[in-house]
Amino acid sequence: MPGPEHYVALSALLFTIGAVGVLVRRNAIVLFMCIELMLNAANLALVTFARLHGDLNGQVMAFFVMVVAAAEVVVGLAIIMLIFRTRRSASVDDSNLLKY
Amino acid sequence: MSVLLAQGVEVTAGEAWTFWLLAPIAVIGALGMVLARNAVHSALWLVLTMLALGVFYVVQSAPFLGLVQVVVYTGAIMMLFLFVLMLVGRDAADSLIETLRGQRAAAVLVGGGLAALLATGTYRWLEGTPAAGLAEANAEHGGNTEGLANLLFSRWVLGFELTGALLIVAALGALMLTHIVREPGERLSQPEQMRARFAPGNYPAPKPGPGVFATSSSNTTPAKLPDGTASPRSISPILPIRELTAAEAADKETER
């Protein structure tokens, strides 16, 4: 029988997969998707804790995370489009002008 | 188990089936997103994971969040990702050259360690903890959506307004970032295009199609002018001009 511990463990697993994806991948859009996965994993933990405590505030937090994620995606994708337009590349390794 | 039931936890056999069926699918989707070479495949794997999470929300007595997950995340955000992917990074496969040597192996190692620590730690911390269940909190205002609305518009109303402002600012920011300013006069107007077309030295009629008056309809065959010569205007400049010799053009007697 899956209890809260199973859901939180799954959430931890998904979060780490997203974190490893951010470290491993180079395409800026895939990086963004990995961040979305991490946010979703956090949401799963929030919903589980809401059920654990019998308190709806956790679900409200998950709702706010979703709204902020939507705003973040819109601005982030616009920035990626802008970088692609000037550099013709979506790879985060190519944006290294500030390094020198 | 009887203790859990006495605490009002709603773990049923159906939920157990749902969890053990969908949890591996969610993990497979996440791994597929990280491992897929093609960014579009990554997006589709992530959609799979998000749908599984939406079902988990519904199962955990959060039907409103489950539907928002499907509509907003998989319906809107991931489709926005796909739109941008089609515009930008569709064919951009990740390079296999590491900027920092050994970074990928180190990342996988540290990630595996973090996953093991986090998952086992939280599992052991919460193991056997009875869930209070949301039946009471959901029933207080007549349902899950009503309960959430009650909290959103009373206790969290300031945060709600701020996120509304944030969404407007984000939409304006995206418009500003992706807007291309065209100078007036950068693009020829229709009268200017027409004058250029009828200017002396320009041939106003459409170009002859390839193969017109020729023995072939291939678009590598130039159009023939009325005097029998090939029209240079019907030949693409990137094609090398090559005329068949008499021997090449002769009947090979392959048809009897």
Side-chain angles (χ1 to χ4, degrees), chain A residues 1-10 12-27 29-30 32-34 36-37 39-44 47-75 77-82 84-85 89-91 93 99, chain B residues 10-12 15-16 19-20 26-27 30-31 33-34 36-37 39 42-43 46 49-50 53 56-57 59-62 64-65 68-69 73 77-78 80-81 84-85 87-89 92 94 99 103-104 107 111 114-115 118-119 122-123 126-128 131-134 137-138 144 147-148 151-152 155-156 159-160 163 166-167 170 174 177-178 180:
Chain A
M1 286 291 174
E5 67 268 25
H6 293 86
Y7 286 106
V8 177
L10 173 68
L13 208 55
L14 292 178
F15 185 88
T16 359
I17 293 174
V20 170
V22 170
L23 292 175
V24 166
R25 296 301 299 259
R26 292 283 172 278
N27 189 328
I29 301 175
V30 179
F32 242 90
M33 288 195 266
C34 292
E36 289 303 308
L37 179 65
L39 289 170
N40 266 281
N43 273 353
L44 181 62
V47 170
T48 308
F49 287 136
R51 186 188 183 202
L52 186 68
H53 292 286
D55 191 343
L56 278 178
N57 281 308
Q59 292 191 12
V60 176
M61 290 300 133
F63 175 77
F64 278 135
V65 169
M66 283 182 184
V67 178
V68 174
E72 167 237 337
V73 162
V74 167
V75 177
L77 287 180
I79 291 174
I80 291 175
M81 288 283 293
L82 199 64
F84 183 81
R85 208 178 278 149
S89 163
S91 169
D93 274 354
K99 216 165 103 179
Chain B
E10 322 105 82
V11 177
T12 59
E15 183 183 344
F19 182 83
W20 293 118
V27 173
L31 286 175
M33 179 200 65
V34 174
R37 304 289 305 161
S42 284
L46 186 57
T49 302
M50 286 178 167
L53 288 182
F56 284 149
Y57 295 168
V59 165
Q60 300 218 70
S61 31
F64 177 72
L65 282 184
V68 168
Q69 170 86 2
Y73 257 117
I77 294 186
M78 289 318 293
L80 187 65
F81 265 107
V84 175
L85 270 178
L87 288 173
V88 177
D94 275 11
T99 318
Q103 185 234 3
R104 276 182 199 174
L114 182 66
L118 266 182
T122 49
Y123 185 89
L126 287 170
E127 196 178 5
L134 280 165
N138 274 343
N144 175 255
L148 280 182
L151 276 173
L152 266 184
R155 183 172 176 188
W156 302 108
F160 187 74
T163 47
L166 177 73
L167 275 179
L177 285 173
T178 52
I180 304 173

